[in-house]
Amino acid sequence: MNRRLRLIALLMVVMAAAGAAWVFAATRSASPATSALLEIRWHGNGIILQGAVTDAATQQVLVEGATARLGGEANQVVDWLDIAPAALPVPDAASLASLIRLGQEGWHLQRHATDAWLAVQSPNDDRSMQARQLLQRAFGPGVTIRLIPLS
């Protein structure tokens, strides 16, 4: 029985990696005009961080938030964050890390130049309202934050 559980766990890890690779391929083929500058996806028992941040400290805070959300499973965090000084700033990276920890399976965040949207199961529930507040703190008052229902 123990061998069976190990096989199942291995298959789950392989499936999660395949899913992450598929998402990477799908998002990399998107038109640059519609691509988000920063994107976070919660899916397949993992979290994908993609885009650019201004510095290594911000990158580390986000990766640590994702790792904490996954119970310390760092191998389930896919980090495609580039460090680019010209990237949009994240004035409060700790709030964005808190949002990552709060997030649920299926959530999807995209940050653009002047706005950000977060797809959630129920835009009006308490968790989503808390997420909106964290996003506003993370990105600052000049960024419009929208919560949209998952499709």
Side-chain angles (χ1 to χ4, degrees), residues 127-146:
R127 182 179 289 252
S128 298
M129 291 296 107
Q130 185 179 0
R132 176 192 295 273
Q133 292 171 348
L134 288 168
L135 277 174
Q136 198 67 71
R137 276 188 284 191
F139 296 140
V143 175
T144 302
I145 304 297
R146 294 181 295 129

Side-chain angles (χ1 to χ4, degrees), residues 69-135:
R69 164 66 174 79
L70 298 169
E73 295 292 329
N75 62 337
Q76 298 297 324
V77 177
V78 179
D79 173 12
W80 288 313
L81 290 174
D82 296 324
I83 298 171
L88 291 175
V90 178
D92 186 347
S95 288
L96 190 53
S98 292
L99 171 75
I100 293 170
R101 288 189 300 275
L102 177 71
Q104 294 182 310
E105 176 73 22
W107 280 23
H108 181 183
L109 168 67
Q110 284 195 0
R111 165 73 197 274
H112 299 275
T114 60
D115 70 315
W117 58 259
L118 177 65
V120 296
Q121 287 85 354
S122 302
N124 296 315
D125 69 4
D126 289 340
R127 182 179 289 252
S128 298
M129 291 296 107
Q130 185 179 0
R132 176 192 295 273
Q133 292 171 348
L134 288 168
L135 277 174

